[in-house]
Amino acid sequence: MPKVIEEAEILSHGIPIAGVDILTLAAPQIARTSLPGQFVQVSVPVHGGFLRRPLGIAETSRADGWIRLIYRQVGSGTEALANAAAGAYVSILGPLGHGFNTSLKHPLLVGGGMGLTPLLFFAATHPNVSVLMGGRTKEEVFWEEIYRPHVRECFIMTDDGSYGTQGFVTTLLPQLLAEGDYDGIAVCGPPVMMERVAVIAAEHGIPCEVSLEKRMACGLGACLSCAVDTKNGRRKVCKDGPVFPAEEVYDAL
C-alpha cells in the first residue's frame, strides 16, 4: 500500500478527559487508503522534539478527507501536539503498518484504556461488531459515547465498579465467548491484558489478533527500534505489525 507525506491542517481539538486529546486533521490521501489497525507518524512542534510520534488512526472520512487521532499526553511531543491550535499544520506520514482482519462476520473488540483507539476504526467500518471495554474509573470509559453509534453491543468494565460491571475485561470475557456468536477477537491495551485475552480466546477456539505498541523512530522498518521476538523470529512492529495473530506472539498459545 502506498505511503504518503501530507501537510495536514488541524481541523479541531477535543478534550474528553484531562490529558487525552481528540485531534481531527485534513489528510485526504491518508483518509482514502487507511485500514483499521494502521497508524501514522506525526510531526510535532519543534519544542516537542525532532522525531515523529506514532499514533493509531481512530476514525476517517474518505468522503470529507479527514482522519481522527485519539491520544494521551505522555511526554513533550504529545503535549506540544495537544497545544497546537486549529488551523496549524503538521506533517503526517502514513498509512503505516499491517491492520486487522475485517472479514469476520461478528468480531468482538476488546480494549483497555488508550488501546480502544485503533479498535474504534474497526468498529466504525464494520456493520456487525461488539465491544468489551475497560477502564479504571467511569471517567476513563468516556469511549462508550463514541463507540455506541458503531456497535451492536457495548460491554463496560471498570476496576472500581463506578460504572458498568466491576472487574477487568478478562472477568467477563469467558461468559461472552460462551454465550455469544463471535468468530474472532481483536484486542489492544495493556500487554498483560492482551496476553490473558489471547489465552481465553484460545480456550474457546476463537481466533485472536493483538495490536502491539512499541517505541519507534522511523515507522518504516529501517531503524529496528520496535523489533520484537515472535515464534517466527524477530519482527518489526511498525512494518510487520502492529497487528499480529496472537499465537505468533505468545508462548502460552
Side-chain angles (χ1 to χ4, degrees):
M1 180 176 296
K3 304 169 183 61
V4 300
I5 294 179
E6 286 194 82
E7 294 300 316
E9 181 184 1
I10 297 175
L11 300 178
S12 66
H13 255 136
I15 305 175
I17 62 173
V20 173
D21 287 82
I22 301 177
L23 179 65
T24 305
L25 300 156
Q29 294 182 74
I30 294 175
R32 233 180 358 253
T33 57
S34 296
L35 299 173
Q38 291 187 304
F39 68 98
V40 292
Q41 289 274 82
V42 184
S43 67
V44 297
V46 65
H47 59 281
F50 297 103
L51 293 177
R52 294 174 182 265
R53 299 309 194 267
L55 297 175
I57 302 171
E59 290 183 272
T60 69
S61 171
R62 295 189 176 187
D64 297 325
W66 54 256
I67 67 170
R68 185 161 291 146
L69 312 174
I70 305 177
Y71 63 94
R72 189 184 298 277
Q73 297 176 37
V74 294
S76 60
T78 46
E79 288 174 3
L81 187 61
N83 289 327
Y89 284 79
V90 292
S91 174
I92 304 179
L93 169 65
L96 301 172
H98 173 76
F100 293 107
N101 172 19
T102 57
S103 66
L104 300 168
K105 293 182 179 179
H106 185 199
L108 177 65
L109 311 182
V110 183
M114 299 310 295
L116 286 155
T117 295
L119 297 175
L120 177 59
F121 193 178
F122 196 151
T125 55
H126 197 286
N128 188 34
V129 65
S130 297
V131 63
L132 170 59
M133 63 175 65
R136 288 176 294 181
T137 65
K138 180 179 180 180
E139 182 184 49
E140 290 199 355
V141 288
F142 66 87
W143 298 93
E144 180 189 13
E145 183 178 347
I146 301 174
Y147 267 84
R148 280 289 183 189
H150 305 300
V151 299
R152 188 169 99 175
E153 298 170 294
C154 183
F155 306 98
I156 300 171
M157 309 292 296
T158 52
D159 295 0
D160 65 359
S162 56
Y163 191 65
T165 302
Q166 184 170 13
F168 307 118
V169 295
T170 50
T171 307
L172 184 61
L173 182 60
Q175 178 184 337
L176 294 182
L177 297 185
E179 298 176 353
D181 60 346
Y182 308 108
D183 58 348
I185 293 175
V187 57
C188 187
V192 173
M193 183 204 82
M194 290 198 295
E195 183 170 7
R196 182 60 187 146
V197 168
V199 169
I200 294 171
E203 291 171 350
H204 287 78
I206 296 176
C208 178
E209 290 185 314
V210 297
S211 179
L212 303 184
E213 180 178 330
K214 291 282 287 184
R215 291 183 179 274
M216 58 183 70
C218 72
L220 299 170
C223 69
L224 305 181
S225 64
C226 64
V228 294
D229 290 318
T230 73
K231 294 177 183 177
N232 294 326
R234 293 284 280 175
R235 304 273 274 170
K236 305 164 189 173
V237 171
C238 68
K239 188 174 182 180
D240 302 313
V243 178
F244 293 90
E247 64 271 16
E248 182 179 337
V249 176
Y250 301 122
D251 292 334
L253 303 182

